[in-house]
Amino acid sequence: MKKISAVLFFFSITFAFCAVPQLKKIGTFPCGRQPKQVLFSPDDKYIVMPLLEDDGIDLFNVETKKMETRLKPPTSDKLGFVEGLFIPSKKSFFVSQMTTNEIHEYAYPGFVYKRSIPTGGVWTKFMVWSEDKKIIAASNWVSNDISIISYSNGKLLRLIKTAAAPRGLYFVNRGKYIISLAFDGSTIEKFETDTGKRVAYIEIPKSAMRHVVLNSEQTKAYISDMYWAKIYQIDLASFKIEKEVKVYVNPNTIDLYKNRYLFVSCRGYNNPTDYTKRSPSNGQIYIIDTTDFSVVKKAEGGNQPTGLDISNSQKYLCFSNFQDYNIELYEIED
């Protein structure tokens, strides 16, 4: 018994004094106009960049450190590419196009075009996959709903009505429920996937929730709120806010490193004339230790850091600078 206690004590001390991640810059690389998201492929060979104001999705080769090609779905001339989604079990990559209300599928590896699926919503943005139910959920910003789509035939199974401007999504409990963030509706919502019934919600006045990720145990959710410039920790059992921390202006995309450190892209101050134009100053990248919700590191980004992703190997960090038309790649060191 004493030996077990000693081992547990050792691991708790090791965990407590785990070094804060350090960032070693590899380079800054130009891409198309307004990279909305960055996403590592499952094998970490590529970084994909859906371009909001350009005609496709740029592919960056991680090994050669070069932009390799641009994917152009049939409706690429309509621009408006927002988010990507890899589904390894289906050897598939999807990208959403809000101007056509479609999601486009490519085979991966290879990035060979397969099909385009209408979502039935308006201004489709974020997508998530349920491995258990074999369905894709896509949030529709203008029609205020979530499309539930069968992977096998691309059929729209149902539309789940949400609060205004749903953005981030996450399936929980093996796809039984889906969490939705309402950007304009100031609400975090939990729905039954099969019925669309809302079973829980959290309202935060004036909030503008954007992105949600979960820990590996799926007991905690982390959510970015652009209006209040905060990150929240939600206990999923009680569906209540446990912790919160203030970060830099307009936090966007978030990702967990080694199930402990939360990386946050903060876009920075809006242009006083028009928020879609270049910001008056650069944004920042924050790192939060989720054990105590302290900010342990800050790093400067470019003009409006927006997309952010940590590689599957946990070796690299990449984020996009929305108004600089480039991405930055870093090696993460403990």
Side-chain angles (χ1 to χ4, degrees):
M1 195 70 179
K2 288 183 179 179
K3 185 179 290 187
I4 293 173
S5 298
V7 171
L8 291 174
F9 177 76
F10 170 79
F11 279 112
S12 66
I13 291 296
T14 302
F15 185 78
F17 289 97
C18 180
V20 173
Q22 302 299 310
L23 300 178
K24 180 182 178 182
K25 189 167 186 177
I26 295 172
T28 299
F29 306 94
C31 63
R33 295 190 301 275
Q34 296 190 353
K36 190 68 171 171
Q37 184 208 33
V38 295
L39 182 65
F40 283 91
S41 61
D43 52 13
D44 289 341
K45 290 184 178 180
Y46 289 93
I47 300 169
V48 298
M49 284 148 281
L51 305 171
L52 193 66
E53 284 297 318
D54 223 326
D55 61 350
I57 306 97
D58 278 352
L59 300 182
F60 178 82
N61 188 309
V62 175
E63 182 179 1
T64 64
K65 307 297 186 293
K66 292 180 180 179
M67 293 293 171
E68 190 168 288
T69 189
R70 179 172 295 176
L71 304 179
K72 295 186 178 183
T75 53
S76 60
D77 61 315
K78 299 192 183 300
L79 316 184
F81 298 95
V82 189
E83 302 274 351
L85 171 69
F86 282 97
I87 306 176
S89 64
K90 299 297 182 182
K91 297 182 178 179
S92 175
F93 167 72
F94 278 89
V95 64
S96 60
Q97 188 178 15
M98 70 182 190
T99 51
T100 64
N101 309 313
E102 293 177 310
I103 58 176
H104 307 286
E105 183 182 13
Y106 287 80
Y108 186 79
F111 290 111
V112 176
Y113 173 77
K114 295 178 68 175
R115 58 178 172 168
S116 295
I117 301 172
T119 64
V122 181
W123 268 37
T124 303
K125 292 207 172 189
F126 197 78
M127 299 170 292
V128 287
W129 164 250
S130 170
E131 187 67 39
D132 295 282
K133 291 184 173 290
K134 304 297 186 288
I135 55 175
I136 298 168
S139 58
N140 301 305
W141 182 269
V142 172
S143 55
N144 304 326
D145 48 30
I146 302 167
S147 303
I148 304 297
I149 298 168
S150 167
Y151 175 83
S152 62
N153 58 17
K155 181 181 178 181
L156 176 65
L157 300 177
R158 71 191 59 85
L159 287 170
I160 298 176
K161 204 65 183 174
T162 68
R167 188 66 167 77
L169 302 171
Y170 213 109
F171 280 112
V172 294
N173 294 81
R174 302 179 67 89
K176 183 178 180 180
Y177 302 105
I178 187 166
I179 295 171
S180 172
L181 309 184
F183 187 89
D184 289 338
S186 303
T187 311
I188 304 165
E189 300 177 289
K190 181 180 178 181
F191 298 95
E192 285 184 349
T193 305
D194 291 345
T195 67
K197 178 184 177 183
R198 190 170 78 169
V199 295
Y201 66 95
I202 301 169
E203 288 184 298
I204 304 172
K206 297 183 180 180
S207 63
M209 264 78 69
R210 189 184 188 279
H211 193 205
V212 54
V213 298
L214 270 62
N215 62 357
S216 60
E217 300 84 5
Q218 294 209 343
T219 56
K220 311 293 181 185
Y222 303 99
I223 292 171
S224 58
D225 179 351
M226 289 181 65
Y227 183 86
W228 294 112
K230 289 182 178 181
I231 302 296
Y232 305 113
Q233 177 178 293
I234 309 295
D235 176 71
L236 290 179
S238 63
F239 212 70
K240 295 184 183 299
I241 296 174
E242 288 185 316
K243 300 175 184 177
E244 60 182 61
V245 63
K246 190 87 170 176
V247 292
Y248 194 56
V249 180
N250 284 320
N252 271 232
T253 313
I254 57 180
D255 202 6
L256 265 178
Y257 174 71
K258 295 190 175 179
N259 207 37
R260 174 174 177 178
Y261 293 101
L262 191 72
F263 283 64
V264 184
S265 67
C266 299
R267 197 180 70 190
Y269 289 97
N270 291 335
N271 185 298
T273 304
D274 185 342
Y275 78 94
T276 65
K277 295 181 179 180
R278 288 183 64 84
S279 294
S281 58
N282 284 345
Q284 296 184 14
I285 305 300
Y286 270 51
I287 303 177
I288 298 165
D289 187 342
T290 60
T291 60
D292 59 6
F293 246 53
S294 62
V295 174
V296 294
K297 190 174 182 63
K298 305 173 188 177
E300 184 171 341
N303 203 267
Q304 295 188 10
T306 301
L308 178 146
D309 197 28
I310 294 170
S311 65
N312 301 284
S313 65
Q314 305 281 282
K315 183 178 179 180
Y316 299 112
L317 164 72
C318 183
F319 60 86
S320 63
N321 294 311
F322 190 69
Q323 297 292 358
D324 285 334
Y325 308 163
N326 63 30
I327 62 170
E328 296 187 34
L329 182 63
Y330 292 78
E331 188 170 355
I332 306 175
E333 301 177 335
D334 289 326

